[in-house]
Amino acid sequence: MRAVLRVLAPLLGLVLATVGVLVVIEVVAEWVLPEHEGGLLVPWPEWGAVLAGLAWSQNLVRGIAIGVGVVGLLMVLVALTARRADLRLVAPSDDMTVTTSPRVLARLIGTRVRASDDVLSASVTASERRVAVTARAWNDAPEELRSTIVDRVQELLAELPLRRTPRVAVSVQEREGVR
Amino acid sequence: MTVDMSKDMSKSAEPPAPVDPRVRRRSRSAVARSAGGDRWLTVLIGLVLLLVGVGVTLLSYGVFGVARAGRPLLDPIILDTVAAQPLLWRVVAIVGGLLLAVFGLTWVARSVRPEARPDVVLNGGADTTIRVSSAAAGEAVASQAETLPGVARARARLVGAAAAPALRVTLWLADDADVRSVLARLHGEVLATARASLDLPSLPVAVRLELERPHPTPRVA
């Protein structure tokens, strides 16, 4: 969403600036050129006539209002979700800030989990609060595989100087075939 | 241009001085280019649109009165109010339009402006100043950081205002890197040297850790 915001923000600024410039041009033109019929750049007299003929209760107005509300809601959602999901690490000094991305943590955990001979494959999602590992095991993997994976992940998390240690959730899916 | 990064490291053994909260804040700001202004302005405009949309929808369905819902969008009452004092409303419209135009253009300029990369000016004597370019300082820090065990690649750049620069360092670590050790050596060796060389004892630093992608091994030997 950060990329969307990077494009959206200057576009919104351009729209506001354009509206402002058009308002100034039209008002000044109407003021100093009273003999000029209609708008200079924008046909606002025609727009005014259309608006004067539309009532608030008409379906067209309702549809446009709902559309405007939805666009507003989308803009709020885009802006609120455009924050960085960084993980903070403990820095050696106070004038230093250390961050990494959840993707890096997920990759480290995935490598550690897949290193086990009993794991066929694993997918990991990580955030500042939670690490979720879904592992697929071989048919003859030991029963205690889940707790082994949890131990391995927690061992890795202890090695990293994370400011906040995430909760670990591991699920082992159905076992497939023999090795 | 090269920067001498080989100063004496004896200073790093001293106990750390308390860090100014402003320096701490600057180190947090240096993590990445801030999108805070864009985010809050977008939220504000989105909320205005949402409120207008909801309000007009409620008005349209007669929540504020059936008679009001049946009135035209361009209400004759509003037209009469404007026609009663044309000069006032013209001035209001012109001032509003100018404010909107200036605000919009300022926002565009701030959004698309490249991030500042300040040079560091060192005092070289009575009538001499030495300017260390942002690229040279960053290159020097990065090349020294790349020598640390566990660091595969490094990139550094000076960011922020020229009067109060900060250093942004990105380290690509090997899978088996000891993160604590890398950070401790970066702080004690690379950054201490950079601070001494650039004569910036309170240089805030933001470090971004990434993992180096493993090189693909050929399938056929």
Side-chain angles (χ1 to χ4, degrees):
Chain A
M1 284 299 164
R2 222 173 156 80
V4 176
L5 185 73
R6 293 277 299 152
V7 178
L8 186 64
L11 285 180
L12 285 174
L14 270 182
V15 169
L16 293 182
T18 309
V19 170
V21 169
L22 285 177
V23 166
V24 172
I25 289 174
E26 290 300 331
V27 173
V28 170
E30 192 271 340
W31 198 353
V32 300
L33 301 169
E35 70 281 359
H36 187 268
E37 290 284 320
L40 202 65
L41 298 172
V42 180
W44 56 266
E46 287 85 347
W47 291 2
V50 171
L51 292 178
L54 272 176
W56 291 105
S57 57
Q58 283 181 277
N59 282 336
L60 177 67
V61 178
R62 283 178 190 160
I64 291 173
I66 291 170
V68 167
V70 170
V71 168
L73 183 64
L74 287 177
M75 282 170 60
V76 171
L77 290 177
V78 165
L80 290 182
T81 54
R83 58 180 308 183
R84 298 175 68 88
D86 286 344
L87 303 178
R88 291 276 304 272
L89 283 82
V90 178
S93 72
D94 285 344
D95 54 0
M96 191 170 164
T97 301
V98 185
T99 59
T100 190
S101 67
R103 192 171 30 87
V104 167
L105 181 62
R107 202 178 125 194
L108 281 173
I109 292 171
T111 307
R112 183 69 65 96
V113 171
R114 286 183 207 102
S116 166
D117 287 341
D118 297 321
V119 175
L120 169 65
S121 64
S123 68
V124 183
T125 54
S127 69
E128 194 181 21
R129 297 181 176 197
R130 188 167 183 268
V131 168
V133 180
T134 306
R136 302 181 90 170
W138 291 106
N139 196 24
D140 56 350
E143 289 301 318
E144 66 277 8
L145 180 63
R146 190 185 159 282
S147 59
T148 310
I149 294 174
V150 170
D151 290 346
R152 276 173 171 258
V153 173
Q154 277 172 345
E155 187 184 307
L156 174 72
L157 292 176
E159 287 169 18
L160 296 172
L162 290 168
R163 280 173 79 104
R164 177 179 185 157
T165 308
R167 283 184 295 111
V168 179
V170 175
S171 67
V172 179
Q173 285 194 342
E174 80 272 21
R175 298 150 192 240
E176 292 194 346
V178 287
R179 231 175 282 212
Chain B
M1 181 179 181
T2 56
V3 181
D4 177 23
M5 306 293 278
S6 57
K7 286 204 174 176
D8 183 21
M9 293 300 305
S10 59
K11 282 183 183 176
S12 62
E14 292 173 8
V19 174
D20 186 345
R22 281 173 298 183
V23 175
R24 208 178 301 170
R25 251 194 323 273
R26 275 166 50 211
S27 86
R28 282 201 297 269
S29 307
V31 167
R33 184 179 176 164
S34 171
D38 287 352
R39 283 182 65 208
W40 291 116
L41 285 173
T42 308
V43 165
L44 194 68
I45 294 174
L47 279 179
V48 168
L49 291 182
L50 183 61
L51 288 177
V52 167
V54 171
V56 171
T57 307
L58 293 178
L59 174 66
S60 173
Y61 279 101
V63 174
F64 304 125
V66 179
R68 200 163 283 171
R71 294 190 67 83
L73 266 66
L74 200 58
D75 204 309
I77 298 173
I78 296 172
L79 291 177
D80 290 345
T81 309
V82 173
Q85 288 183 312
L87 179 64
L88 171 71
W89 291 108
R90 277 175 182 148
V91 172
V92 167
I94 290 171
V95 171
L98 282 175
L99 286 177
L100 208 58
V102 170
F103 172 74
L105 288 176
T106 310
W107 189 8
V108 173
R110 285 177 64 94
S111 282
V112 300
R113 184 177 55 192
E115 193 177 22
R117 295 185 185 184
D119 295 341
V120 177
V121 178
L122 304 174
N123 190 0
D127 45 359
T128 308
T129 53
I130 302 165
R131 180 177 291 271
V132 181
S133 77
S134 172
E139 232 170 79
V141 171
S143 60
Q144 204 181 353
E146 281 173 355
T147 62
L148 297 176
V151 177
R153 273 189 300 144
R155 186 178 65 198
R157 66 170 56 153
L158 285 170
V159 294
L167 187 65
R168 182 185 300 157
V169 183
T170 309
L171 301 179
W172 281 267
L173 303 179
D175 275 355
D176 57 350
D178 180 347
V179 177
R180 282 180 209 274
S181 159
V182 168
L183 291 176
R185 291 191 67 176
L186 181 78
H187 173 66
E189 297 173 22
V190 180
L191 298 178
T193 313
R195 285 182 176 119
S197 304
L198 298 172
D199 198 18
L200 290 169
S202 61
L203 177 69
V205 181
V207 180
R208 177 87 180 161
L209 299 180
E210 297 284 345
L211 273 183
E212 179 67 347
R213 290 195 172 280
H215 296 292
T217 49
R219 291 184 176 208
V220 180

